[in-house]
Amino acid sequence: MEKEFVMIKPDAVQRGLIGTLINRLERTGLKIIAMKFLHVTTDLAEKHYEVHKGKPFYPALVEFITSGPAVAMVIEGPDAVKITRKIVGATNPAEAAPGTIRGDFGINIGRNLIHASDSPENAKTEIAIYFSDDELVDWTPTIAPWFTE
Ligand code: IDP
Ligand code: MG
């Protein structure tokens, strides 16, 4: 089973979209195995976005992600990364397809509502930044056979 790290960013929290965005992920059948509401610190943000350090948008990105509360989540399932990134949509909402989170709710690349790791390896790294192993809950939804053959 693949794990994916997701963060509902401060813009989506401020806009009251937490439930809406979680619903879009949850209804796929991917399973939530960890979730926390937190105000991301600069230290956490710098670890999370380390790969973008040095890029022109990096300072604004760190300032934005630390500007208010966010929701960090781990979701699990077959192809969790690919499926989640498809639902999240392209980085720039102007290019994100209709039906995706960014395509339906966004108009600006710096306010694109949600983060999702781009590979299983990066998901592992990002999960470890925000969660300890004992915060990942091992459970099986009773309807699991209706999602996976
Ligand atoms: P992703 O979130 O779709 O994986 P990345 O390229 O990893 O996109 O960029 C991380 C985040 O940095 C984006 O979600 C977006 O918020 C911000 N970002 C990326 N490129 C730009 C840009 O050109 N201008 C402003 N912000 C950007
Ligand atoms: Mg990325």
Side-chain angles (χ1 to χ4, degrees):
M1 279 298 163
E2 197 166 276
K3 288 183 177 58
E4 171 66 314
F5 175 74
V6 172
M7 178 170 283
I8 299 175
K9 294 180 177 180
D11 53 338
V13 174
Q14 296 288 349
R15 290 171 58 187
L17 291 171
I18 296 172
T20 302
L21 302 197
I22 289 175
N23 177 252
R24 288 193 167 215
L25 299 167
E26 197 179 25
R27 69 189 184 182
T28 60
L30 291 173
K31 176 175 69 173
I32 296 167
I33 61 165
M35 182 162 10
K36 65 173 77 164
F37 186 75
L38 78 165
H39 195 133
V40 175
T41 61
T42 303
D43 182 51
L44 284 171
E46 285 176 351
K47 285 185 182 133
H48 179 163
Y49 284 124
E50 199 180 347
V51 293
H52 297 298
K53 201 168 185 171
K55 294 182 186 169
F57 60 84
Y58 176 81
L61 179 59
V62 170
E63 195 183 328
F64 163 60
I65 207 74
T66 59
S67 66
V71 179
M73 298 167 62
V74 181
I75 54 184
E76 188 180 72
D79 290 315
V81 170
K82 210 184 282 180
I83 290 167
T84 302
R85 295 275 295 185
K86 179 189 68 177
I87 289 165
V88 164
T91 306
N92 187 346
E95 280 150 25
T100 64
I101 289 170
R102 289 165 172 173
D104 286 355
F105 296 101
I107 51 170
N108 181 267
I109 194 168
R111 298 286 184 271
N112 63 1
L113 302 127
I114 189 163
H115 166 84
S117 313
D118 62 6
S119 68
E121 299 69 40
N122 287 340
K124 201 173 275 185
T125 306
E126 292 170 10
I127 289 166
I129 293 170
Y130 289 98
F131 293 95
S132 57
D133 280 348
D134 63 5
E135 288 176 313
L136 307 185
V137 178
D138 184 18
W139 69 295
T140 304
T142 53
I143 58 162
W146 299 103
F147 282 103
T148 308
E149 66 176 2

